[in-house]
């Protein structure tokens, strides 16, 4: 006999979009937008230190992808998309540059710059880029930190 709630049906994917275009402060806007989405998807408030760390890692990686688009794509980032299906979070940043991102050789840790994709590479379960229109979409995926917890109420 199945226990109610033991294997809940998969959640339909929910996607949130933030148009960035020429808006001022795209990195801060993206972090605030992402924090609000994670709050609505019950990633916050965190149930424990590990869940808090994963959430902070997501916000850091959002900042890194948006910053890279600001620095390397003409016109900066076009749009931030967050997709949540209950088991994994996908973060996507669209921009106008067709040039795919690449990991740089290890940079001097004492110098700023050149570390963003290395951070993403270490923290994300997977990441990459695909062409989109005349530009590209850079994406990353993170597994849910929620499956370890029974959420309250």
């Amino acid at each position: 006999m199945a226990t109610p709630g033991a294997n809940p049906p998969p959640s339909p994917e929910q996607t949130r979009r933030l148009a960035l275009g020429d808006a001022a402060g795209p990195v801060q806007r993206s972090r605030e937008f992402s924090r609000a989405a994670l709050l609505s998807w019950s990633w916050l408030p965190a149930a424990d230190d590990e869940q808090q760390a994963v959430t902070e890692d997501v916000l850091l990686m959002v900042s890194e992808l948006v910053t890279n688009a600001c620095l390397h794509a003409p016109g900066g980032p076009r749009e931030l998309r967050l997709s949540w299906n209950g088991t994994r979070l996908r973060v996507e940043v669209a921009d106008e540059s067709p040039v795919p991102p690449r990991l740089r050789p290890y940079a001097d840790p004492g110098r700023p710059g050149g570390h963003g994709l290395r951070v993403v590479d270490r923290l994300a379960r997977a990441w990459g880029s695909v062409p989109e229109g005349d530009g590209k979409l850079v994406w990353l995926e993170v597994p849910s930190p929620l499956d370890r917890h029974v959420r309250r109420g």
Side-chain angles (χ1 to χ4, degrees), residues 3-66:
T3 305
N7 291 312
S11 300
E13 186 152 292
Q14 302 172 47
T15 300
R16 306 272 170 96
R17 295 171 178 257
L18 175 64
L20 294 166
D22 294 327
V27 175
Q28 184 62 33
R29 287 185 60 228
S30 295
R31 284 181 65 91
E32 291 168 0
F33 175 82
S34 299
R35 182 179 299 281
L38 295 176
L39 180 63
S40 74
W41 292 330
S42 300
W43 286 49
L44 292 170
D48 62 19
D49 289 343
E50 182 171 332
Q51 186 176 331
Q52 183 67 38
V54 170
T55 301
E56 290 172 6
D57 289 349
V58 167
L59 296 175
L60 174 62
M61 290 187 289
V62 165
S63 297
E64 293 298 342
L65 292 188
V66 173

Side-chain angles (χ1 to χ4, degrees), residues 37-148:
L38 295 176
L39 180 63
S40 74
W41 292 330
S42 300
W43 286 49
L44 292 170
D48 62 19
D49 289 343
E50 182 171 332
Q51 186 176 331
Q52 183 67 38
V54 170
T55 301
E56 290 172 6
D57 289 349
V58 167
L59 296 175
L60 174 62
M61 290 187 289
V62 165
S63 297
E64 293 298 342
L65 292 188
V66 173
T67 297
N68 281 351
C70 289
L71 294 173
H72 304 293
R78 257 191 341 237
E79 184 177 54
L80 169 65
R81 300 173 201 147
L82 303 174
S83 298
W84 170 241
N85 70 3
T87 60
R88 67 108 182 103
L89 175 70
R90 184 173 173 104
V91 176
E92 302 174 335
V93 175
D95 66 45
E96 298 291 336
S97 173
V99 179
R102 63 178 178 79
L103 281 174
R104 292 184 183 176
Y106 283 98
D108 179 351
R111 298 189 54 133
H115 306 285
L117 280 180
R118 186 98 24 221
V119 169
V120 170
D121 190 56
R122 285 183 174 263
L123 296 177
R125 173 175 59 191
W127 72 274
S129 69
V130 294
E132 183 178 85
D134 292 335
K136 69 177 171 302
L137 183 74
V138 181
W139 60 270
L140 64 85
E141 291 185 352
V142 177
S144 171
L146 304 180
D147 56 1
R148 300 177 339 106

